[in-house]
Amino acid sequence: MQNFRRGIALPIAGAAMLVGIALWLVYVVTGPGSGGPAGLYRHGASIAFAFVDGEDGTVRVANPGQRPQPTASAAKVITALAVLGKAPLVPGEEGPVLTMTEADSQLYWDYATHGGSVVAVGQGQELTQYEILEAMLLPSANNLADTLAIWAFGSIDGYRSAATQLVRSLGMKATTIGEDASGFSPTTTSTAEDLTRLATAAMREPVIAEIVARPEAVIPGVGPVRNTNWLLGQQGVVGLKTGTTDAAGGVFLFAATVGTPGRLVVGAVQGEGRSADDAIDRASALIAEIAATES
């Protein structure tokens, strides 16, 4: 009887091992950072892209039936566009000087306490509109996204109303503006298809395109800040914006010049892995595939 049990147990153990190896191989091929085919995704991830020079504005959706998911800091691109719609700048302009209040200082402490990305500010500190945009879009300061939105629209509610009108005007039908201007709250949701439309609009706004193309900036009273987009300058990448929260996973809006002559392609990876690094890895594989077809 003992030999009989051993004869059954060994094949079962072998089969279990083969299943485990197969599952591991699937994860390696499709998991974040694997460099596997862009057409294979982890559960929940979504991808879309478009060419900015496309006359019909077609967004190419890699996986149809996308459902809205939290945007994380990609929401700051909505904030930047909304604010520049209300208070326009041209490259070279700094815009008005904002004096930080006690409420702005409290925003910093609130976000820092909850683990959000921040740039430290204190009451009485002065920053221009352009410097705040840099702090939002490069190191991804949640607190200054709210500060700028409240300055431009009077309140977060006022911002929400204006931002909702903006995204609808861009054809972003599946996007909801949430409780803050930073994307830290999971209540701001969208799809990769909508975020690709957002990326197109952002790269057509000269001030945003200028800022997101910089690897770093020096903000008076703050010091040097670095762009969280570490793919910048590689594979023709010229922008855009990273995002990470527990609810959103990894999010990355990208803009890259591909092919000969160069075409500007923009896109979004949403809900990939646990961090923006995972989303960037996935976007890198996608950009390589697009570049190959455009060569």
Side-chain angles (χ1 to χ4, degrees):
M1 178 66 75
Q2 186 174 6
N3 289 337
F4 175 73
R5 288 175 178 171
R6 185 180 296 116
I8 293 176
L10 287 175
I12 291 175
M17 182 179 295
L18 289 173
V19 170
I21 291 171
L23 290 173
W24 177 80
L25 287 172
V26 169
Y27 177 82
V28 168
V29 171
T30 65
S34 67
L40 300 175
Y41 311 104
R42 295 192 63 182
H43 177 70
S46 57
I47 297 176
F49 68 93
F51 289 99
V52 172
D53 62 1
E55 294 182 3
D56 58 359
T58 299
V59 177
R60 308 181 191 193
V61 180
N63 46 335
Q66 296 178 358
R67 292 179 297 177
Q69 302 179 70
T71 65
S73 289
K76 295 182 177 75
V77 180
I78 299 174
T79 306
L81 277 170
V83 169
L84 287 169
K86 179 72 178 295
L89 295 176
V90 298
E93 286 186 340
E94 288 289 326
V97 175
L98 283 66
T99 301
M100 299 296 104
T101 66
E102 183 179 353
D104 296 317
S105 178
Q106 189 60 50
L107 280 171
Y108 162 71
W109 287 110
D110 288 345
Y111 275 114
T113 299
H114 290 90
S117 54
V118 292
V119 164
V121 297
Q123 185 174 358
Q125 185 175 348
E126 294 184 340
L127 294 170
T128 67
Q129 179 186 349
Y130 188 87
E131 289 164 352
I132 294 177
L133 286 167
E134 288 181 307
M136 282 170 46
L137 296 173
L138 298 183
S140 201
N142 291 318
N143 56 312
L144 289 177
D146 282 0
T147 287
L148 195 62
I150 293 168
W151 167 77
F153 300 102
S155 65
I156 290 295
D157 284 343
Y159 161 74
R160 186 182 299 115
S161 177
T164 298
Q165 292 180 34
L166 169 67
V167 297
R168 294 296 176 266
S169 73
L170 296 177
M172 298 170 62
K173 298 177 181 179
T175 298
T176 298
I177 306 300
E179 298 172 357
D180 58 34
S182 70
F184 187 73
S185 166
T187 55
T188 295
T189 60
S190 190
T191 62
E193 182 175 359
D194 270 15
L195 291 177
T196 296
R197 292 188 174 92
L198 176 65
T200 297
M203 294 306 292
R204 288 173 174 164
E205 166 52 63
V207 170
I208 294 178
E210 176 183 77
I211 291 173
V212 298
R214 293 178 174 170
E216 61 183 6
V218 177
I219 300 177
V222 174
V225 295
R226 292 197 60 81
N227 196 330
T228 57
N229 175 12
W230 51 259
L231 197 60
L232 189 69
Q234 305 174 54
Q235 295 182 260
V237 172
V238 294
L240 248 165
K241 187 73 189 76
T242 64
T244 299
T245 63
D246 289 342
V251 182
F252 183 44
L253 273 61
F254 65 85
T257 302
V258 298
T260 306
R263 299 184 69 192
L264 184 62
V265 63
V266 298
V269 177
Q270 186 181 21
E272 176 71 17
R274 295 182 177 86
S275 74
D277 287 347
D278 297 324
I280 291 174
D281 284 341
R282 181 65 72 194
S284 176
L286 177 62
I287 292 166
E289 291 182 6
I290 296 170
T293 63
E294 289 295 310
S295 297

